[in-house]
Amino acid sequence: MTARAEQVAEPSSGGALLRVSSDKIGRLMDLVGELSLSVSETINAPELANLDLVGFEAAAHRLSMIVGEVQDAASELRLVPVDEVFRRLKRMVRELQRETGKQIDLEMRGEDTAIDKLVADRLYDPLLHVVRNSADHGLESPQERVAAGKSPAGRIVLSAAQVGSEVRIQVIDDGRGLNRRKILSKARERGLFGATEEPEDSVVWKAIFEPGFSTAEAVTTLSGRGVGMDVLNTTMKDLRGRIGVLSEEGKGTTVSLHIPVSLAFLDSVILRLGTQLYCVPIDDIAEIAKPNAGDHLALAAENGREMLRLRDRFIPVCRLEKFFEGMRTDLPPLSEMVFIVFEASTGPIAVPVDEILDRQQVVMKPLEGALTRVRASWGFALLSSGEVAMVLDCERLAIGGER
């Protein structure tokens, strides 16, 4: 985008478009965030607590609603269709056909799905590595495909869809799938797994995201340097996203990227555990439960691990006191706590907290410097009270807090 604002007529749509510098949009987002905090601090000022102000609550509520709408409108200004990323990849697929000598049919779905411009600017290179891997490693040659009973042309699908507060982008191929034996062997050579260890497929696939990891026997212009998937993993962490890999030998591979729609504001629930405040995205919460005597909830323990029995299933309990250092050591009984149930990609987990305080749209601030080592956290949220809450990432909580 140019720094100069330029108005472009759009006769077919009956309106007009404005081209505005992304720096100006970023500045506006920062100011809207500061406006939201200032309004919240003013409305919740302790000096106003005992004053008899006629109509103040109604006016304050209306002001909060307007600020919330301004936040939503500002966020939408930075949204662009994912089509601009997909079109660049489409051109690259034509080049990959020439370089590999393979026939590739590219299918695009959900091109009109909106994503944050900051995400779109950083998404092309990581997606390019995934598409290259699909074309070079995943898809077989026409002769191999015919021998395997497939069509001579391989298929790669680029798919985008909004799921809750996230955008899910998938690269799907119908190739040979990931080679578990080769990946596991290479991972053992690097000390990622023991010689006799037989991890689940989902754990094995994580090895391909390790820095420098590659199973290619020769370095080519397309692959073999072991940097592609590492770049993807690093970029997704920076974007507060996560990666999922599904693969079946002989049938193909699906790489799924889950990215927040907006990187600035977050609709969330505020929790308290001891003296620490936590914040969780509201779309990540599957259920909130409170065990009571005679209720359908019950507590149990399996192999020394606490479990929550919620109707017909047992859900592992993740105590934040054991997860983060410096918290209270005297753990209260689970029967006295409120459970937040998350549906992570690896299965449900239940997080016990003392209290649910509020639902807010908060301003997100990413972790920087030494704080990047904080486990299972997207960053910190600035609350309307002026306090700071840690934003929990339920996916990393479920797998032990890997960054």
Side-chain angles (χ1 to χ4, degrees):
M1 290 188 181
T2 61
R4 180 175 58 89
E6 177 183 353
Q7 183 168 320
V8 183
E10 288 286 332
S12 61
S13 63
L17 296 178
L18 286 175
R19 296 185 62 193
V20 182
S21 165
S22 58
D23 291 338
K24 291 183 178 179
I25 298 295
R27 173 64 175 158
L28 174 63
M29 298 286 283
D30 291 339
L31 290 174
V32 170
E34 294 298 328
L35 172 64
S36 174
L37 289 175
S38 296
V39 168
S40 297
E41 289 173 358
T42 301
I43 292 175
N44 296 292
E47 293 82 2
L48 301 178
N50 299 319
L51 298 180
D52 185 14
L53 302 176
V54 179
F56 175 76
E57 289 188 4
H61 177 72
R62 184 169 179 270
L63 179 59
S64 297
M65 294 290 290
I66 293 173
V67 170
E69 291 182 11
V70 171
Q71 285 183 336
D72 292 338
S75 297
E76 291 175 3
L77 288 177
R78 210 163 64 177
L79 298 182
V80 296
V82 74
D83 178 59
E84 68 176 47
V85 181
F86 281 6
R87 279 189 281 107
R88 294 174 65 190
L89 291 170
K90 186 176 182 179
R91 292 193 295 269
M92 180 55 65
V93 167
R94 290 196 292 266
E95 296 181 16
L96 291 173
Q97 288 187 87
R98 292 193 295 268
E99 293 188 44
T100 61
K102 299 175 181 178
Q103 301 176 32
I104 304 175
D105 290 334
L106 179 66
E107 180 182 344
M108 297 191 296
R109 304 172 184 169
E111 305 99 302
D112 57 345
T113 302
I115 59 175
D116 195 298
K117 182 65 168 64
L118 296 181
V119 174
D121 289 343
R122 300 192 57 184
L123 202 56
Y124 174 74
D125 286 339
L127 277 177
L128 176 59
H129 289 302
V130 180
V131 173
R132 278 178 170 173
N133 276 350
S134 294
D136 196 27
H137 294 298
L139 298 182
E140 310 94 332
S141 66
Q143 297 79 9
E144 290 176 305
R145 292 183 62 84
V146 171
K150 300 179 180 180
S151 63
R155 185 167 66 103
I156 296 178
V157 178
L158 293 174
S159 171
Q162 183 169 340
V163 182
S165 62
E166 294 183 330
V167 172
R168 182 187 64 203
I169 298 177
Q170 294 180 309
V171 179
I172 308 167
D173 69 64
D174 65 347
R176 58 174 62 92
L178 295 177
N179 190 322
R180 174 187 165 91
R181 179 190 56 80
K182 186 178 290 186
I183 293 174
L184 185 56
S185 174
K186 189 70 175 181
R188 283 172 175 163
E189 288 179 15
R190 299 189 57 179
L192 300 178
F193 301 114
T196 59
E197 189 177 356
E198 290 293 338
E200 296 180 358
D201 286 349
S202 60
V203 179
V204 175
W205 304 151
K206 290 180 183 178
I208 66 178
F209 299 106
E210 291 293 322
F213 190 93
S214 176
T215 58
E217 297 179 357
V219 176
T220 68
T221 57
L222 293 181
S223 61
R225 295 177 299 275
V227 296
M229 302 306 277
D230 178 32
V231 169
L232 171 63
N233 194 33
T234 301
T235 301
M236 290 301 292
K237 288 179 180 178
D238 292 342
L239 295 176
R240 306 200 326 260
R242 65 181 192 275
I243 310 170
V245 179
L246 294 175
S247 186
E248 188 173 351
E249 189 170 353
K251 294 188 177 180
T253 302
T254 298
V255 178
S256 301
L257 311 181
H258 301 263
I259 309 166
V261 174
S262 174
L263 299 179
F265 306 114
L266 187 69
D267 286 320
S268 60
V269 172
I270 312 302
L271 316 170
R272 181 184 64 81
L273 182 64
T275 59
Q276 177 65 50
L277 298 179
Y278 295 95
C279 175
V280 293
I282 196 165
D283 291 311
D284 290 349
I285 299 176
E287 189 170 348
I288 297 176
K290 177 70 172 73
N292 291 314
D295 201 351
H296 61 284
L297 297 168
L299 297 169
E302 182 178 328
N303 298 326
R305 183 171 186 181
E306 294 172 313
M307 306 286 287
L308 170 69
R309 191 176 75 190
L310 183 58
R311 292 180 290 277
D312 296 328
R313 61 177 180 172
F314 283 89
I315 301 175
V317 171
C318 176
R319 284 208 187 241
L320 297 180
E321 294 98 332
K322 297 179 179 179
F323 200 87
F324 296 110
E325 296 181 1
M327 299 189 66
R328 63 189 178 192
T329 56
D330 296 331
L331 303 181
L334 291 178
S335 57
E336 299 178 0
M337 308 189 78
V338 180
F339 287 87
I340 310 298
V341 179
F342 300 105
E343 286 290 351
S345 59
T346 56
I349 60 170
V351 177
V353 297
D354 293 328
E355 188 180 7
I356 298 174
L357 298 178
D358 194 9
R359 173 180 175 177
Q360 291 184 19
Q361 186 176 64
V362 299
V363 179
M364 276 282 300
K365 296 296 182 182
L367 298 172
E368 297 181 356
L371 292 178
T372 57
R373 294 194 293 270
V374 175
R375 299 193 302 164
S377 175
W378 289 126
F380 286 88
L382 303 178
L383 308 182
S384 59
S385 61
E387 297 173 288
V388 176
M390 181 188 297
V391 182
L392 295 176
D393 177 4
C394 66
E395 288 292 333
R396 293 191 179 113
L397 276 177
I399 60 177
E402 299 175 10
R403 290 287 307 166

